């Protein structure tokens, strides 16, 4: 490889010795020589070389007025520096500037003339030629324009560490200092431009675009970075195409077909003007005018595309233009150009001919036109007025690339100034030494450029970062059609700064934008229609993520903006409206005091309390009557008090549940009911035991004393109290907001432990079952002593209610859980109150004749008669069976007679039951002392 390089440089050196690079150039001698590379032409003529004869150099075609203006900017800057007494005094800068024709081959041809002198000695080429006295050294190069051209030039200049400052090459690959050691630039890298383009697309909410890039080192890296930015923003690229000015017609037509058939309306282009021009021409021929073009800086202000005949297609283009600068005196300098006077610039003659569409008299192109090889043009005098013709050359309103050229030249001059004014001991080289400006080499200038830091004429601080790049600032322009002459007007609509604060990087004035040249409405370039609020984007199989279907949000979810990716879930206390566009607060429900159902239950509970209190008042008022005494009035008072507690406990279930009400209501209900049922159980069992004992003894009277009865009631109730204490200690109930129901929040009580609630109700039902058993057994006792039938009915009602309660409790939700339990409490309480006490109250109030001691005696005697008759029949039957089994006599069975005799003295009344063989006397005394033992 090194041997090949030797021959390459040797060939270039011999070529440069004879002609100093390509024949056409602009050059001026000086103490220090700068090189320049500019695209004076857009390309080269395509010609097949069949190699039948010696190949000829390709000819450059299509004059580039903007490229020529860039060249003039370099010459203007050099002349300005040479005339300055502050910068490089007593030194003159010279230049040699060549045309790259926007191609790599022409650029390398010119670059060989720059490197020939610098390293011939180190390559040991003196034995081949002695040319060191003929070629002045080039210490820096300004150029080139295109990234592909600059990449090739940088590879060659980097071998010799000749600093290269490009004014228009923005490829991010050129930031690799390991590969391009001497490359620098005064234009931002495409790394930033791709990000800026993605920001624009995101700003206008497009998600379906076409990407077109030039097939070179400018387009490919730029579009690659752009793709990454699109992925990060979930924006899809429908088509990703490469293009070149050297494409065949059928390739351009195929690309135009794909673009025309695409549903994407935005076309992002990373390419230069010459590369994109064939596609624009094809689009104009097809009259495809409904596309929006997003232009990179390489063609955003290109005169090759910004033509009136293309405006139907490209009007409304959004472009990234470099920050414009101000060059004082440059306008006058451009107007002073004269082909006869400026002999040092050989490009001026062609510029003059192309500007006025004529030929100069001594021009070789004039001779070719006479021979018929060129189209005929009139002769020029060279004295025409340059200001009378409008060309891109004279467009000095927004100096962008020209300003970059100007800055590049001044950067080199300031680096040389730093070398010139360097103080020994403060230099950048070994041992802090300084370079000798008279003997300096290109690598020393490169070192100085890397540490450059100065303020230019516009007050801007200029320095290169670690990648030898400048800060990225873009002006965003919009292509308008001029109302005067129909030409293209570049309207500034905003700017983009990569180093600005977040949120301030992109600023756009939407009121200045004209889409497609006339519309102010932002075009639609999405794969799918926008999803309205209340819907979300749903995935479509086998389609990109940008293509979606709109799916309505589920209940309880909402979206309040367009194109929502997901529906947000409403907070627990909220629910989505019918359109799912917002959430409203859920209605809070509980068994309220103010609702009709709660009022009805409360009235029933209060009525039960009042009614029970009334019954208690009646019993207290008539406490000395036989019926009240016969029903064990002390236990009846406790029973009535417990019923008042039962009715009252139901009121705790009404109203908004609080922690304290939740912890109170179940224990209050359970303890009240157990107290009630234990009272019924004790007094029912007491009478049953006394009557079944046949003859009440002192043992029975002692066993069933009043104190012991209350003790049994207390013990039965105490068990329930302990169940409640254990429950409240281990798993206390608490208030709970149930959000599971749509649109409603039910405030209920979390019972803490369902098992504990089961034990509470189960124990109550157990006592009720035992009570039912004893009541059923004592159903035939005198009604005065026990209301056994009614207790049986009340217990049946209790069981029916609470057996029905269990499935109803677990199958309902919300406030109806409390309502079900309140209904169960009231129903069972009313059942016990009615069955046990209403009959007694009725007799006391409406049948006072039955509430007498005589009535009680008769009732008791009747019960005794029934018992005696039953015993006689049983005895007689047993006797007959016994006589039959032993084959006894045939005597007739003695007759029996039952007689009830009473003496006239009531105090000694003893009902008697007489049998045939004897008489059994059953004596019942209704003395107060004995009756107290029975009650």
């Amino acid at each position: 490889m090194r041997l090949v390089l030797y021959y390459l440089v040797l060939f270039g050196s011999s070529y440069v010795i004879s002609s100093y690079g390509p024949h056409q150039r602009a050059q001026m001698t000086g103490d220090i020589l700068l090189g320049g590379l500019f695209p004076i032409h857009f390309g080269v003529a395509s010609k097949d070389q069949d190699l039948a004869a010696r190949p000829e150099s390709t000819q450059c075609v299509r004059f580039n007025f903007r490229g020529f203006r860039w060249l003039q900017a370099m010459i203007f800057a050099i002349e300005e520096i040479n005339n300055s007494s502050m910068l490089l005094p007593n030194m003159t800068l010279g230049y040699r500037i060549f045309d790259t024709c926007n191609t790599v081959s022409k650029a390398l041809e010119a670059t060989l003339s720059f490197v020939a002198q610098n390293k011939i000695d180190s390559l040991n080429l003196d034995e081949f030629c002695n040319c060191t006295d003929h070629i002045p050294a080039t210490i820096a190069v300004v150029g080139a324009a295109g990234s592909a051209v600059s990449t090739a030039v940088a590879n060659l200049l980097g071998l010799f560490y000749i600093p290269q400052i490009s004014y228009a090459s923005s490829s991010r690959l050129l930031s690799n200092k390991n590969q391009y050691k001497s490359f620098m630039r005064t234009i931002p890298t495409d790394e930033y431009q791709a990000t800026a383009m993605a920001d624009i697309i995101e700003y206008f909410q497009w998600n379906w675009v076409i990407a077109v890039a030039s097939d070179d080192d400018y387009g490919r890296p730029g579009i690659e970075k752009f793709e990454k930015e699109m992925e990060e923003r979930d924006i899809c690229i429908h088509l990703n195409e490469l293009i070149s000015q050297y494409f065949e017609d059928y390739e351009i037509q195929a690309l135009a077909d794909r673009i025309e058939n695409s549903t994407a309306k935005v076309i992002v282009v990373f390419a230069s003007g010459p590369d994109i021009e064939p596609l624009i021409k094809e689009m104009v021929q097809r009259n495809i005018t409904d596309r929006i073009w997003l232009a990179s800086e390489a063609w955003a202000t290109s005169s090759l595309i910004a033509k009136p005949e293309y405006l139907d297609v490209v009007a409304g283009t959004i472009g990234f233009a470099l920050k414009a600068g101000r060059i004082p005196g440059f306008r006058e300098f451009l107007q002073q150009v004269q082909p006869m006077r400026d002999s040092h610039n050989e490009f001026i003659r062609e510029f003059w001919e192309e500007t006025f569409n004529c030929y100069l008299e001594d021009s070789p192109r004039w001779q070719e036109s006479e021979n018929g090889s060129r189209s005929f043009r009139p002769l020029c005098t060279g004295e025409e007025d340059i200001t009378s013709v409008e060309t891109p050359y004279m467009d000095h309103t927004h100096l962008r690339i020209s300003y970059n050229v100007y800055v590049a030249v001044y950067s080199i001059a300031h680096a040389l100034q730093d070398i010139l004014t360097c103080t020994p001991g403060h230099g950048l080289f070994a041992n802090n030494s300084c370079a000798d400006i008279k003997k300096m080499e290109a690598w020393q200038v490169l070192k100085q450029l890397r540490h450059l830091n100065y303020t230019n004429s516009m007050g801007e601080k200029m320095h290169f970062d670690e990648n030898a790049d400048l800060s990225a600032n873009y002006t965003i322009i919009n292509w308008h059609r001029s109302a005067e002459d129909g030409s293209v007007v570049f309207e500034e609509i905003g700017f983009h700064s990569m180093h600005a604060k977040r949120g301030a990087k992109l600023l756009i004035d939407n009121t200045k934008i004209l889409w497609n040249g006339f519309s102010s409405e932002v075009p639609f370039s999405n794969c799918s229609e926008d999803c309205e609020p209340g819907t979300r984007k749903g995935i479509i199989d086998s389609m990109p993520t940008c293509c979606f279907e709109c799916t309505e949000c589920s209940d309880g979810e909402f979206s309040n903006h367009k194109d929502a990716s997901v529906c947000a879930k409403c907070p627990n206390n909220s629910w989505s409206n019918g359109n799912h566009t917002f959430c409203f607060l859920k209605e809070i429900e509980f068994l309220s005091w103010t609702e009709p159902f709660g009022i009805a239950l409360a009235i029933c509970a209060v009525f039960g309390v009042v009614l029970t209190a009334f019954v208690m008042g009646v019993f207290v008022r008539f406490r000395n009557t036989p019926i009240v005494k016969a029903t064990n009035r002390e236990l009846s008072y406790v029973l009535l008090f417990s019923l008042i507690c039962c009715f009252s406990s139901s009121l705790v279930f009404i109203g908004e549940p609080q922690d304290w009400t939740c912890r109170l209501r179940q224990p209050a209900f359970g303890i009240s009911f157990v107290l009630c049922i234990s009272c019924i159980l004790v007094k029912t069992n007491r009478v049953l035991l006394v009557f079944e004992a046949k003859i009440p003894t002192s043992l029975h009277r002692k066993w069933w004393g009043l104190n012991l009865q209350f003790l049994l009631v207390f013990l039965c109730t105490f068990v329930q109290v302990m169940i409640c204490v254990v429950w409240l200690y281990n798993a206390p109930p608490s208030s709970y907001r149930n959000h599971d129901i749509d649109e409603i929040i039910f405030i209920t009580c979390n019972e803490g432990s369902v098992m504990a609630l089961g034990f509470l109700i189960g124990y109550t039902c157990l006592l009720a079952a035992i009570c039912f058993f004893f009541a059923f057994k004592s159903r035939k006792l005198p009604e005065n002593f026990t209301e056994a039938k009614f207790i049986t009915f009340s217990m049946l009602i209790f069981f029916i209610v609470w057996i029905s309660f269990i499935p109803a409790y677990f199958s309902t939700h919300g406030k109806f859980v409390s309502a079900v339990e309140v209904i169960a409490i009231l129903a069972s309480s009313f059942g016990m109150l009615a069955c046990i006490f209403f009959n007694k109250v009725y007799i006391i109030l409406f049948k006072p004749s039955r509430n007498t001691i005589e009535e009680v005696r008769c009732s008791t005697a009747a019960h005794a008669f029934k018992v005696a008759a039953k015993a006689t029949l049983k005895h007689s039957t047993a006797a007959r069976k016994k006589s039959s089994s032993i084959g006894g006599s045939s005597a007739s069975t003695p007759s029996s007679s039952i007689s009830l005799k009473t003496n006239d003295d009531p105090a000694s009344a003893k009902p008697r039951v007489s049998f045939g063989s004897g008489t059994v006397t059953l004596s019942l005394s209704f003395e107060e002392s004995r009756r107290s033992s029975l009650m």
Side-chain angles (χ1 to χ4, degrees):
M1 180 64 184
R2 190 170 180 82
L3 182 61
V4 173
L5 181 60
Y6 287 169
Y7 282 106
L8 176 63
V9 176
L10 177 62
F11 169 75
S13 301
S14 61
Y15 181 81
V16 172
I17 291 171
S18 60
S19 61
Y20 292 92
H23 174 70
Q24 196 175 18
R25 88 277 305 274
Q27 66 178 9
M28 179 75 72
T29 60
D31 300 322
I32 299 173
L33 197 62
L34 304 183
L37 296 173
F38 294 92
I40 308 303
H41 293 85
F42 283 113
V44 295
S46 58
K47 181 188 292 187
D48 292 335
Q49 301 284 356
D50 58 4
L51 302 180
R54 183 182 179 86
E56 297 179 358
S57 177
T58 54
Q59 185 179 7
C60 298
V61 295
R62 295 194 299 168
F63 191 84
N64 184 0
F65 289 94
R66 293 179 70 222
F68 181 68
R69 188 180 71 221
W70 303 341
L71 179 148
Q72 290 287 78
M74 180 175 177
I75 295 175
F76 174 78
I78 291 175
E79 291 185 1
E80 196 174 60
I81 293 169
N82 289 338
N83 295 328
S84 172
S85 60
M86 302 295 295
L87 197 59
L88 297 177
N90 302 320
M91 297 196 69
T92 304
L93 294 180
Y95 55 84
R96 279 197 299 161
I97 303 173
F98 296 100
D99 180 14
T100 64
C101 300
N102 208 32
T103 59
V104 172
S105 59
K106 288 292 183 180
L108 288 177
E109 183 181 342
T111 306
L112 287 174
S113 68
F114 299 146
V115 304
Q117 174 65 23
N118 292 66
K119 281 295 179 176
I120 285 180
D121 293 338
S122 63
L123 292 176
N124 298 321
L125 299 177
D126 290 339
E127 58 183 289
F128 296 98
C129 71
N130 185 12
C131 52
T132 57
D133 296 333
H134 302 283
I135 307 174
T138 302
I139 55 93
V141 175
V142 176
S147 294
V149 175
S150 285
T151 299
V153 172
N155 279 316
L156 185 54
L157 293 178
L159 292 174
F160 308 105
Y161 291 92
I162 301 176
Q164 173 191 0
I165 303 181
S166 175
Y167 48 84
S169 299
S170 56
S171 173
R172 64 189 183 94
L173 297 180
L174 290 168
S175 296
N176 185 353
K177 295 299 104 179
N178 292 326
Q179 185 172 359
Y180 308 105
K181 301 178 179 64
S182 63
F183 180 83
M184 310 176 85
R185 53 186 161 191
T186 57
I187 184 174
T189 173
D190 286 337
E191 184 86 10
Y192 302 135
Q193 185 173 196
T195 302
M197 282 188 165
D199 289 342
I200 285 281
I201 292 173
E202 188 176 34
Y203 176 83
F204 290 113
Q205 299 181 357
W206 296 323
N207 67 9
W208 193 238
V209 300
I210 298 172
V212 178
S214 57
D215 191 11
D216 54 26
D217 288 339
Y218 169 72
R220 288 191 300 268
I223 212 66
E224 180 183 342
K225 173 63 177 177
F226 177 75
E227 289 175 2
K228 292 180 181 179
E229 293 290 338
M230 292 294 98
E231 290 178 5
E232 293 178 2
R233 292 166 168 80
D234 290 331
I235 300 174
C236 301
I237 299 177
H238 185 210
L239 296 176
N240 197 343
E241 304 287 345
L242 294 177
I243 196 172
S244 172
Q245 60 179 313
Y246 302 111
F247 269 15
E248 299 293 339
D249 290 343
Y250 73 90
E251 294 177 294
I252 296 297
Q253 292 171 1
L255 175 57
D257 288 338
R258 291 190 291 272
I259 292 176
E260 187 175 11
N261 295 329
S262 173
T263 56
K265 302 300 181 182
V266 175
I267 306 174
V268 180
V269 181
F270 264 94
S272 62
D275 286 326
I276 195 63
E277 185 186 22
L279 177 62
I280 298 296
K281 286 182 177 179
E282 183 65 26
M283 300 286 279
V284 170
Q285 290 180 2
R286 300 187 182 202
N287 196 28
I288 303 175
T289 60
D290 60 342
R291 298 297 192 271
I292 297 298
W293 300 82
L294 192 57
S296 66
E297 46 78 27
W299 70 280
T301 57
S302 173
S303 59
L304 200 62
I305 309 300
K307 296 179 179 179
E309 57 265 30
Y310 295 160
L311 265 182
D312 288 341
V313 171
V314 298
T317 294
I318 301 292
F320 285 87
L322 302 175
K323 184 179 179 181
R326 183 172 53 87
I327 308 177
F330 186 52
R331 175 183 180 184
E332 292 75 15
F333 177 81
L334 293 178
Q335 294 175 353
Q336 292 173 2
V337 63
Q338 286 288 339
M340 303 303 179
R341 189 168 63 239
D342 299 327
S343 58
H344 63 277
N345 189 345
E346 298 181 6
F347 299 107
I348 291 180
R349 301 179 65 83
E350 184 177 359
F351 159 74
W352 202 267
E353 293 175 349
E354 294 296 327
T355 300
F356 295 101
N357 194 25
C358 63
Y359 291 127
L360 294 170
E361 187 174 0
D362 57 346
S363 172
R365 286 176 289 276
W366 165 252
Q367 298 174 1
E368 293 175 5
S369 66
E370 287 185 335
N371 297 332
S373 58
R374 282 183 180 268
S375 60
F376 175 78
R377 291 181 182 180
L379 285 174
C380 303
T381 63
E383 298 295 334
E384 287 81 5
D385 184 8
I386 192 66
T387 60
S388 64
V389 182
E390 290 188 5
T391 62
Y393 171 78
M394 291 301 297
D395 184 9
H396 52 80
T397 54
H398 297 92
L399 299 175
R400 306 180 193 281
I401 300 297
S402 300
Y403 181 71
N404 287 351
V405 174
Y406 184 78
V407 170
V409 175
Y410 263 87
S411 296
I412 298 172
H414 276 278
L416 296 173
Q417 178 71 15
D418 290 341
I419 293 175
L420 179 64
T421 59
C422 177
T423 302
H426 296 85
L428 299 176
F429 305 99
N431 300 320
N432 296 325
S433 62
C434 298
D436 185 356
I437 196 167
K438 295 181 179 180
K439 299 180 181 180
M440 67 179 177
E441 297 185 37
W443 64 270
Q444 293 173 317
V445 179
L446 177 62
K447 176 73 171 179
Q448 203 70 45
L449 280 169
R450 290 179 177 177
H451 292 81
L452 185 65
N453 194 341
Y454 74 99
T455 302
N456 66 9
S457 59
M458 292 183 63
E460 298 174 337
K461 291 186 177 181
M462 306 299 298
H463 70 279
F464 296 95
D465 61 17
E466 64 276 7
N467 295 323
D469 298 328
L470 292 180
S471 59
N473 294 300
Y474 294 101
T475 298
I476 303 173
I477 61 174
N478 185 220
W479 289 22
H480 291 188
R481 186 191 299 271
S482 173
E484 298 177 357
D485 55 6
S487 61
V488 179
V489 176
F490 301 125
E491 180 72 24
E492 293 188 4
I493 60 173
F495 66 89
H496 188 281
S497 177
M498 285 300 300
H499 302 291
K501 293 181 180 179
R502 186 176 183 87
K505 291 184 176 182
L506 178 65
L507 291 178
I508 293 180
D509 187 354
N510 291 330
T511 60
K512 294 182 178 181
I513 302 177
L514 289 180
W515 302 102
N516 300 111
F518 60 88
S519 175
S520 59
E521 182 180 355
V522 179
F524 182 82
S525 184
N526 294 358
C527 182
S528 303
E529 292 290 336
D530 294 341
C531 288
E532 295 297 323
T535 61
R536 63 172 178 84
K537 295 187 286 189
I539 298 175
I540 302 177
D541 293 338
S542 70
M543 292 293 288
T545 56
C546 301
C547 302
F548 50 82
E549 57 184 0
C550 296
T551 305
E552 186 177 5
C553 294
S554 304
D555 290 339
E557 296 179 346
F558 76 101
S559 64
N560 55 8
H561 60 276
K562 288 186 176 183
D563 280 344
S565 299
V566 293
C567 294
K569 199 171 185 64
C570 291
N572 283 339
N573 63 342
S574 303
W575 194 252
S576 58
N577 65 329
N579 295 329
H580 303 280
T581 55
F582 64 89
C583 294
F584 61 89
L585 292 177
K586 290 183 178 180
E587 181 181 354
I588 297 178
E589 282 199 3
F590 52 86
L591 190 58
S592 173
W593 292 100
T594 57
E595 63 176 295
F597 195 28
I599 294 173
L601 293 177
I603 291 174
C604 291
V606 172
F607 177 71
V609 171
V610 173
L611 192 60
T612 307
F614 172 75
V615 173
M616 180 179 285
V618 171
F619 266 56
V620 172
R621 170 68 179 79
F622 298 96
R623 60 185 176 279
N624 293 321
T625 59
I627 286 183
V628 175
K629 291 181 178 180
T631 55
N632 197 336
R633 59 187 174 188
E634 288 78 7
L635 281 179
S636 295
Y637 295 155
V638 177
L639 176 59
L640 288 169
F641 171 75
S642 65
L643 283 174
I644 291 176
C645 294
C646 289
F647 283 115
S648 300
S649 67
S650 64
L651 295 174
V652 186
F653 289 81
I654 304 174
E656 182 177 351
Q658 305 289 338
D659 287 345
W660 69 271
T661 58
C662 291
R663 293 179 182 132
L664 174 64
R665 64 184 194 173
Q666 296 295 0
F669 142 72
I671 294 172
S672 300
F673 265 80
V674 166
L675 178 61
C676 176
I677 294 174
S678 60
C679 289
I680 298 172
L681 173 63
V682 168
K683 77 172 189 172
T684 302
N685 191 37
R686 165 197 168 269
V687 175
L688 178 65
L689 290 177
V690 170
F691 272 91
E692 286 193 348
K694 305 300 188 295
I695 300 174
T697 64
S698 60
L699 178 63
H700 290 102
R701 289 195 297 268
K702 180 180 180 181
W703 181 252
W704 284 105
L706 190 60
N707 292 334
L708 183 59
Q709 295 174 39
F710 283 126
L711 177 62
L712 291 177
V713 171
F714 171 76
L715 292 176
C716 292
T717 308
F718 181 74
V719 174
Q720 185 76 308
V721 171
M722 293 308 299
I723 292 175
C724 295
V725 169
V726 173
W727 180 8
L728 293 176
Y729 180 78
N730 291 316
S734 60
S735 176
Y736 168 70
R737 290 177 176 257
N738 186 352
H739 300 276
D740 297 336
I741 308 302
D742 300 349
E743 303 183 19
I744 298 175
I745 298 176
F746 286 121
I747 304 180
T748 60
C749 284
N750 180 8
E751 302 300 350
S753 172
V754 178
M755 182 179 294
L757 178 62
F759 275 120
L760 185 141
I761 298 177
Y763 177 68
T764 306
C765 292
L766 175 64
L767 291 181
I770 297 173
C771 186
F772 175 78
F773 172 73
F774 286 118
F776 183 78
K777 286 192 65 176
S778 61
R779 67 190 183 279
K780 295 181 181 180
L781 294 181
E783 294 180 359
N784 306 74
F785 290 91
T786 180
E787 48 277 89
K789 294 179 183 179
F790 301 108
I791 292 176
T792 303
F793 287 136
S794 68
M795 293 300 103
L796 283 175
I797 293 173
F798 183 88
F799 282 124
I800 292 172
V801 169
W802 289 101
I803 289 174
S804 303
F805 164 78
I806 294 174
Y809 181 85
F810 289 103
S811 62
T812 55
H813 57 271
K815 64 181 181 180
F816 299 106
V817 174
S818 299
V820 166
E821 192 161 357
V822 171
I823 291 172
I825 292 173
L826 294 178
S828 54
S829 298
F830 274 115
M832 287 187 288
L833 178 65
C835 292
I836 296 174
F837 291 102
F838 279 8
N839 184 48
K840 302 295 184 285
V841 172
Y842 174 76
I843 293 174
I844 292 171
L845 296 179
F846 301 105
K847 299 290 184 179
S849 59
R850 294 177 58 184
N851 189 16
T852 61
I853 190 66
E854 291 79 8
E855 187 69 20
V856 173
R857 287 176 179 174
C858 291
S859 176
T860 305
H863 177 71
F865 177 79
K866 292 178 183 179
V867 172
K870 183 178 180 180
T872 301
L873 291 175
K874 184 177 180 181
H875 177 76
S876 175
T877 302
R880 284 197 301 270
K881 287 183 179 179
K882 183 176 180 182
S883 62
S884 299
S885 62
I886 60 177
S889 63
S890 59
S892 61
T893 303
S895 62
S896 62
S897 64
I898 302 175
S899 61
L900 179 63
K901 298 179 181 179
T902 60
N903 295 331
D904 293 338
D905 185 7
S908 59
K910 298 181 180 179
R912 301 173 60 87
V913 181
S914 300
F915 298 95
S917 59
T919 301
V920 178
T921 302
L922 176 63
S923 299
L924 294 175
S925 174
F926 293 95
E927 296 174 0
E928 185 67 28
S929 61
R930 186 166 184 173
R931 185 164 56 250
S932 65
S933 67
L934 292 172
M935 292 182 184

